[in-house]
Coordinates of all heavy atoms in Angstrom, one line a residue:
A1 N 135.5 110.2 110.5 CA 134.1 110.2 110.6 C 133.6 111.6 110.9 O 132.5 112.0 110.4 CB 133.6 109.2 111.6
V2 N 134.1 112.3 111.9 CA 133.7 113.6 112.2 C 133.9 114.6 111.1 O 133.0 115.4 110.8 CB 134.5 114.2 113.5 CG1 134.1 115.6 113.8 CG2 134.2 113.4 114.7
D3 N 135.0 114.5 110.3 CA 135.2 115.3 109.2 C 134.1 115.1 108.1 O 133.5 116.0 107.5 CB 136.6 115.1 108.6 CG 137.7 115.7 109.4 OD1 137.5 116.5 110.2 OD2 138.9 115.2 109.2
D4 N 133.8 113.8 107.9 CA 132.8 113.5 106.9 C 131.4 114.0 107.4 O 130.6 114.5 106.5 CB 132.7 112.0 106.7 CG 134.0 111.4 106.0 OD1 134.7 112.3 105.3 OD2 134.3 110.3 106.0
L5 N 131.1 113.8 108.6 CA 129.8 114.3 109.0 C 129.7 115.8 109.0 O 128.6 116.4 108.7 CB 129.6 113.8 110.5 CG 129.4 112.3 110.7 CD1 129.5 112.0 112.2 CD2 128.1 111.9 110.2
R6 N 130.8 116.5 109.2 CA 130.8 118.0 109.0 C 130.6 118.3 107.6 O 129.8 119.3 107.3 CB 132.1 118.5 109.5 CG 132.2 118.6 111.1 CD 133.6 119.1 111.5 NE 133.6 119.2 113.0 CZ 134.7 119.2 113.7 NH1 135.9 119.1 113.1 NH2 134.7 119.3 115.0
H7 N 131.2 117.6 106.7 CA 131.1 117.8 105.2 C 129.6 117.6 104.9 O 129.0 118.5 104.1 CB 131.8 116.9 104.4 CG 131.6 116.9 102.9 ND1 132.0 117.9 102.2 CD2 130.8 116.1 102.1 CE1 131.6 117.8 100.9 NE2 130.9 116.7 100.9
W8 N 128.9 116.6 105.4 CA 127.5 116.4 105.2 C 126.5 117.3 105.9 O 125.3 117.2 105.7 CB 127.1 114.9 105.5 CG 127.8 113.9 104.6 CD1 128.1 114.0 103.3 CD2 128.2 112.6 105.0 NE1 128.6 112.9 102.8 CE2 128.7 112.1 103.8 CE3 128.3 111.9 106.2 CZ2 129.3 110.7 103.8 CZ3 128.8 110.6 106.2 CH2 129.3 110.1 105.0
R9 N 127.2 118.1 106.9 CA 126.4 119.0 107.8 C 125.3 118.1 108.6 O 124.1 118.5 108.7 CB 125.6 120.0 107.0 CG 126.6 121.0 106.2 CD 125.8 121.9 105.3 NE 126.8 122.7 104.5 CZ 126.5 123.5 103.6 NH1 125.2 123.7 103.3 NH2 127.4 124.2 102.9
A10 N 125.8 117.0 109.1 CA 124.9 116.0 109.7 C 124.5 116.5 111.1 O 125.2 117.1 111.9 CB 125.6 114.7 109.9
A11 N 123.3 116.2 111.4 CA 122.7 116.3 112.8 C 122.4 115.0 113.5 O 122.6 114.9 114.6 CB 121.4 117.2 112.8
V12 N 122.0 114.0 112.6 CA 121.7 112.7 113.2 C 122.0 111.6 112.3 O 121.8 111.9 111.0 CB 120.2 112.7 113.6 CG1 119.3 112.9 112.5 CG2 119.9 111.4 114.4
V13 N 122.5 110.6 112.7 CA 122.8 109.3 111.8 C 121.7 108.3 112.2 O 121.5 108.0 113.4 CB 124.2 108.9 112.0 CG1 124.4 107.5 111.3 CG2 125.2 109.9 111.7
V14 N 121.1 107.8 111.2 CA 119.9 106.9 111.4 C 120.2 105.6 110.6 O 120.5 105.6 109.4 CB 118.6 107.5 111.0 CG1 117.4 106.6 111.3 CG2 118.4 108.9 111.6
Q15 N 120.0 104.4 111.3 CA 120.1 103.1 110.7 C 118.7 102.4 110.9 O 118.3 102.2 112.0 CB 121.2 102.3 111.3 CG 121.3 100.9 110.7 CD 122.1 100.0 111.5 OE1 122.3 100.2 112.7 NE2 122.6 98.9 111.0
A16 N 118.2 101.9 109.8 CA 117.0 101.1 109.8 C 117.4 99.6 110.2 O 118.3 99.4 111.0 CB 116.2 101.1 108.6
V17 N 117.0 98.6 109.4 CA 117.3 97.3 109.7 C 117.9 96.7 108.3 O 117.2 95.8 107.8 CB 116.2 96.4 110.3 CG1 116.8 95.1 110.8 CG2 115.7 97.2 111.4
P18 N 118.9 97.1 107.8 CA 119.4 96.6 106.6 C 120.1 95.2 106.8 O 120.3 94.8 107.9 CB 120.4 97.6 106.1 CG 121.0 98.1 107.4 CD 119.8 98.1 108.3
R19 N 120.5 94.6 105.7 CA 121.3 93.3 105.8 C 122.6 93.6 106.6 O 123.2 94.6 106.4 CB 121.6 92.9 104.4 CG 122.4 91.6 104.2 CD 122.3 91.0 102.8 NE 122.8 92.1 101.9 CZ 124.0 92.1 101.3 NH1 124.8 91.1 101.5 NH2 124.3 93.0 100.4
H20 N 122.9 92.6 107.5 CA 124.1 92.8 108.3 C 124.0 94.0 109.2 O 125.0 94.7 109.4 CB 125.4 92.8 107.5 CG 125.6 91.6 106.6 ND1 125.4 90.3 107.0 CD2 125.9 91.5 105.3 CE1 125.7 89.4 106.0 NE2 126.0 90.2 104.9
S21 N 122.8 94.3 109.7 CA 122.6 95.5 110.4 C 123.5 95.5 111.8 O 124.0 96.6 112.1 CB 121.1 95.7 110.8 OG 120.7 94.6 111.6
D22 N 123.6 94.4 112.4 CA 124.3 94.4 113.7 C 125.8 94.7 113.4 O 126.3 95.7 114.2 CB 124.3 93.0 114.3 CG 124.8 93.0 115.7 OD1 124.3 93.8 116.6 OD2 125.9 92.4 116.0
P23 N 126.6 94.2 112.4 CA 127.9 94.8 112.2 C 128.0 96.2 111.9 O 128.9 96.9 112.4 CB 128.4 93.9 111.0 CG 127.5 92.7 111.1 CD 126.3 93.1 111.6
V24 N 127.1 96.8 111.2 CA 127.1 98.2 110.9 C 126.8 99.0 112.2 O 127.4 100.0 112.4 CB 125.9 98.5 109.8 CG1 125.8 100.0 109.6 CG2 126.2 97.8 108.5
R25 N 125.9 98.5 113.0 CA 125.6 99.3 114.3 C 126.8 99.2 115.2 O 127.1 100.3 115.8 CB 124.4 98.7 115.0 CG 124.0 99.3 116.3 CD 122.9 98.6 116.9 NE 123.1 97.3 117.3 CZ 123.8 96.8 118.3 NH1 124.3 97.7 119.2 NH2 123.9 95.6 118.6
R26 N 127.5 98.1 115.2 CA 128.6 98.0 116.0 C 129.8 98.9 115.6 O 130.5 99.5 116.4 CB 129.1 96.5 116.2 CG 128.2 95.7 117.1 CD 128.2 94.2 116.7 NE 129.7 93.7 116.8 CZ 130.0 92.6 116.2 NH1 129.2 91.7 115.6 NH2 131.3 92.1 116.3
T27 N 129.9 99.0 114.3 CA 130.9 99.9 113.7 C 130.6 101.3 114.0 O 131.4 102.1 114.4 CB 131.0 99.6 112.2 OG1 131.3 98.3 112.0 CG2 132.1 100.5 111.6
L28 N 129.3 101.7 113.9 CA 129.0 103.1 114.2 C 129.1 103.3 115.7 O 129.5 104.5 116.1 CB 127.5 103.2 113.9 CG 127.2 103.5 112.3 CD1 125.8 103.4 112.0 CD2 127.7 104.9 111.9
D29 N 128.9 102.4 116.5 CA 129.1 102.6 118.0 C 130.6 102.9 118.3 O 130.9 103.7 119.0 CB 128.6 101.4 118.8 CG 127.1 101.3 118.9 OD1 126.4 102.3 118.7 OD2 126.6 100.2 119.2
A30 N 131.4 102.1 117.5 CA 132.8 102.3 117.7 C 133.3 103.7 117.2 O 134.2 104.3 117.7 CB 133.6 101.2 117.0
L31 N 132.6 104.2 116.2 CA 133.0 105.4 115.5 C 132.5 106.6 116.3 O 133.2 107.6 116.5 CB 132.5 105.5 114.1 CG 133.3 104.7 113.0 CD1 132.4 104.6 111.7 CD2 134.6 105.3 112.8
L32 N 131.2 106.5 116.7 CA 130.4 107.6 117.3 C 130.0 107.5 118.7 O 129.5 108.5 119.3 CB 129.2 108.0 116.4 CG 129.4 108.1 114.9 CD1 128.1 108.2 114.2 CD2 130.3 109.3 114.6
G33 N 130.2 106.4 119.3 CA 129.7 106.2 120.6 C 128.3 105.4 120.6 O 127.7 105.2 119.4
P34 N 127.8 104.9 121.6 CA 126.6 104.1 121.6 C 125.4 104.9 121.0 O 125.2 106.0 121.4 CB 126.4 103.8 123.1 CG 127.7 104.0 123.7 CD 128.4 105.0 123.0
G35 N 124.7 104.1 120.2 CA 123.4 104.8 119.7 C 122.2 104.3 120.5 O 122.3 103.6 121.4
R36 N 121.1 104.9 120.1 CA 119.8 104.7 120.8 C 118.8 104.2 119.9 O 118.7 104.6 118.7 CB 119.2 105.9 121.5 CG 120.2 106.5 122.6 CD 119.5 107.5 123.5 NE 118.8 108.6 122.7 CZ 117.6 108.9 122.6 NH1 116.6 108.2 123.3 NH2 117.2 109.9 121.9
E37 N 118.0 103.2 120.4 CA 116.9 102.7 119.5 C 115.7 103.5 119.7 O 115.1 103.6 120.8 CB 116.7 101.2 119.8 CG 115.6 100.6 118.8 CD 115.5 99.1 119.0 OE1 116.1 98.5 120.0 OE2 114.8 98.5 118.2
V38 N 115.2 104.2 118.6 CA 114.1 105.1 118.7 C 113.2 104.8 117.5 O 113.7 104.9 116.3 CB 114.6 106.5 118.7 CG1 113.3 107.4 118.8 CG2 115.5 106.8 119.8
G39 N 112.0 104.5 117.7 CA 111.0 104.4 116.6 C 111.4 103.4 115.5 O 111.3 103.7 114.3
G40 N 111.9 102.3 115.9 CA 112.3 101.3 114.9 C 113.6 101.6 114.1 O 113.8 101.0 113.1
A41 N 114.5 102.4 114.7 CA 115.7 102.8 114.1 C 116.7 103.0 115.2 O 116.4 103.3 116.3 CB 115.6 104.0 113.2
W42 N 118.1 102.8 114.8 CA 119.1 103.1 115.6 C 119.5 104.5 115.3 O 119.7 104.9 114.1 CB 120.3 102.2 115.5 CG 120.0 100.8 116.2 CD1 119.5 99.6 115.7 CD2 120.2 100.6 117.6 NE1 119.5 98.7 116.6 CE2 119.9 99.3 117.8 CE3 120.7 101.4 118.7 CZ2 120.0 98.6 119.1 CZ3 120.8 100.8 119.9 CH2 120.4 99.4 120.1
V43 N 119.7 105.4 116.3 CA 119.9 106.8 116.2 C 121.2 107.2 116.9 O 121.4 106.8 118.1 CB 118.7 107.6 116.6 CG1 119.0 109.1 116.5 CG2 117.4 107.2 115.9
W44 N 122.1 108.0 116.2 CA 123.2 108.6 116.8 C 123.1 110.1 116.7 O 123.1 110.6 115.5 CB 124.5 108.1 116.1 CG 124.8 106.7 116.3 CD1 125.7 106.2 117.3 CD2 124.3 105.5 115.7 NE1 125.7 104.8 117.2 CE2 124.9 104.4 116.3 CE3 123.4 105.4 114.7 CZ2 124.6 103.1 115.8 CZ3 123.0 104.0 114.2 CH2 123.7 103.0 114.8
D45 N 122.9 110.8 117.7 CA 122.9 112.2 117.7 C 124.3 112.8 117.6 O 125.1 112.6 118.6 CB 122.2 112.7 119.0 CG 122.0 114.3 119.1 OD1 122.5 114.9 118.2 OD2 121.3 114.8 119.9
V46 N 124.7 113.4 116.6 CA 126.1 113.9 116.4 C 126.1 115.4 116.3 O 127.1 116.0 115.9 CB 126.6 113.3 115.0 CG1 126.6 111.9 115.0 CG2 125.7 113.8 113.8
R47 N 125.1 116.1 116.8 CA 125.1 117.6 116.8 C 126.4 118.1 117.6 O 127.1 119.0 117.2 CB 123.8 118.1 117.3 CG 122.7 118.0 116.4 CD 121.4 118.4 117.0 NE 120.9 117.5 118.1 CZ 119.9 117.6 118.8 NH1 119.1 118.7 118.7 NH2 119.6 116.8 119.8

């Protein structure tokens, strides 16, 4: 995940509320650590 984020030059990962959003959020928490809910989205600061 870190390698892929570096390839994308990512600063922040953002999830709205797609189908099966809770499983996606839990997977991201396991990959990147706990996210924060900000402005109607889950946000992972990966800088």
Side-chain angles (χ1 to χ4, degrees):
V2 172
D3 287 343
D4 292 339
L5 292 170
R6 283 175 177 160
H7 173 78
W8 292 326
R9 300 175 185 172
V12 63
V13 176
V14 184
Q15 180 199 17
V17 189
R19 182 165 55 103
H20 302 312
S21 60
D22 188 64
V24 174
R25 180 179 61 80
R26 287 159 52 195
T27 304
L28 282 166
D29 284 344
L31 286 170
L32 306 176
R36 295 192 305 120
E37 188 172 4
V38 182
W42 284 96
V43 176
W44 289 264
D45 185 349
V46 296
R47 287 174 291 179

